[in-house]
Amino acid sequence: MTFTTRFAPSPTGYLHLGHAFSAWTAFSAAREAGGRFILRMEDIDTVRCKPEFDAAILEDLAWLGLEWEEPVRRQSAHFGDFDGVLQRLQERGVVYRCFKTRREILEDIARAPHGVGDVYRGPAEPMGADEEAARVAAGEAYAWRLSLERCRDVLGERFAAMCFVEEGRFVEEGRFLEDGRGEIAADPDPLGDVVLARKDVGTSYHIAVVHDDALQGITHVIRGVDLYDLTPLHVLLQTLLDLPTPVYRHHRLLTDAKGERFAKRNKAATLRAMRAAGETPADIRARFA
């Protein structure tokens, strides 16, 4: 298979230096492997994502020296695809409607006997079909959550056997991962029953990214270490949906002079601001060394 990777920003603001580092890392890996580099806009947040940010991302990346395949896939044009993924998970019986408010969820977590972490692990007893139908008919808000308990039942031995290949090398919160370590067990349990969609938003980052990585033939996911802990969840979704699991390569995060991660609110660190201040693409790339 041809080495294929991607950069998938959300157009909710201007690209900052951290984004540029991630994009350049993926682009360079594809170029070194003689492979493909894909740009994808993860714009399912139709409130915060703006056309002007989309256009600015294209302009900034081209200025930095990146080239990508056309057309650029914009997830906001493909909600029907993600509805289909949720329907498949519903048919497998691994998702459920959760009507609890954020406060009720926190109260349930506090009462839970497991005492591990601060994640929601589902209701003590499943909601009856009649009550669920009545609450849906009444127009109550709800979220679709992935049930880890049902996933274990449905997948059987495949659940415990889930793994992924990590090629990255990083230091994050005391963890160190050697290059080429190989297969790592994919344990989604620390994440609990995550939200995959809501009544008014029929998808989530998790559904959209897993679907589109498979659709676009992504063989290597190259992204920041801040997303490392989500990998077991994505492997679980890939397993449930019979999709291929790419190789993962998580990289370090760039930080500012104070040691803090770059953020979109840090306007001084945007590529547009740096360009306006006279920095060149070579100056920016030199910061990645």
Side-chain angles (χ1 to χ4, degrees), residues 23-278:
W24 186 258
T25 299
F27 173 72
S28 298
R31 186 171 56 181
E32 291 169 5
R36 303 166 58 215
F37 176 72
I38 290 173
L39 177 63
R40 180 169 74 222
M41 294 293 182
E42 296 190 339
D43 57 350
I44 58 175
D45 186 340
T46 56
V47 174
R48 296 174 60 225
C49 294
K50 305 294 183 183
E52 56 266 33
F53 295 140
D54 185 304
I57 287 172
L58 300 180
E59 179 183 338
D60 286 345
L61 293 179
W63 173 78
L64 189 61
L66 274 68
E67 299 175 348
W68 53 87
E69 296 184 5
E70 295 286 355
V72 173
R73 179 175 173 88
R74 290 173 172 80
Q75 291 180 334
S76 59
H78 302 281
F79 280 110
D81 291 354
F82 310 137
D83 290 342
V85 173
L86 181 60
Q87 183 175 345
R88 288 178 61 189
L89 296 172
Q90 291 168 348
E91 291 169 351
R92 298 211 68 177
V94 295
V95 294
Y96 61 93
R97 284 189 181 93
C98 177
F99 294 87
K100 292 181 180 291
T101 64
R102 183 181 299 273
R103 179 177 179 178
E104 290 171 333
I105 290 291
L106 292 175
E107 290 173 349
D108 279 1
I109 291 171
R111 288 194 298 265
H114 49 74
V116 178
D118 57 353
V119 299
Y120 182 61
R121 300 184 183 278
E125 296 292 337
M127 182 178 295
D130 290 343
E131 180 184 352
E132 181 177 357
R135 298 183 74 165
V136 170
E140 291 189 35
Y142 60 82
W144 284 103
R145 288 184 177 270
L146 182 67
S147 169
L148 290 186
E149 181 178 358
R150 288 291 299 134
C151 288
R152 289 188 184 90
D153 292 341
V154 167
L155 293 176
E157 295 181 355
R158 294 177 67 195
F159 187 91
M162 292 188 305
C163 62
F164 63 97
V165 174
E166 171 64 52
E167 292 184 344
R169 175 190 177 102
F170 59 82
V171 178
E172 176 75 3
E173 297 178 354
R175 297 178 304 182
F176 182 72
L177 187 62
E178 292 283 358
D179 285 328
R181 174 171 168 176
E183 291 188 349
I184 296 176
D187 179 14
D189 190 67
L191 299 172
D193 287 6
V194 300
V195 172
L196 293 185
R198 298 186 185 278
K199 175 188 175 183
D200 54 344
V201 181
T203 189
S204 64
Y205 164 73
H206 308 301
I207 283 180
V209 73
V210 165
H211 174 274
D212 281 3
D213 280 348
L215 178 72
Q216 296 186 294
I218 302 302
T219 63
H220 290 69
V221 172
I222 301 173
R223 62 188 185 184
V225 68
D226 53 322
L227 295 173
Y228 178 80
D229 289 337
L230 294 179
T231 308
L233 169 61
H234 296 167
V235 174
L236 173 56
L237 290 173
Q238 290 155 0
T239 305
L240 289 166
L241 298 166
D242 294 319
L243 300 176
T245 294
V247 172
Y248 287 87
R249 189 182 298 177
H250 292 87
H251 60 72
R252 64 187 175 92
L253 303 178
L254 288 192
T255 56
D256 61 19
K258 297 180 181 179
E260 297 179 353
R261 290 170 48 187
F262 291 103
K264 290 181 179 178
R265 64 180 177 273
N266 186 353
K267 296 180 174 57
T270 65
L271 295 189
R272 295 172 72 83
M274 292 178 175
R275 185 167 70 221

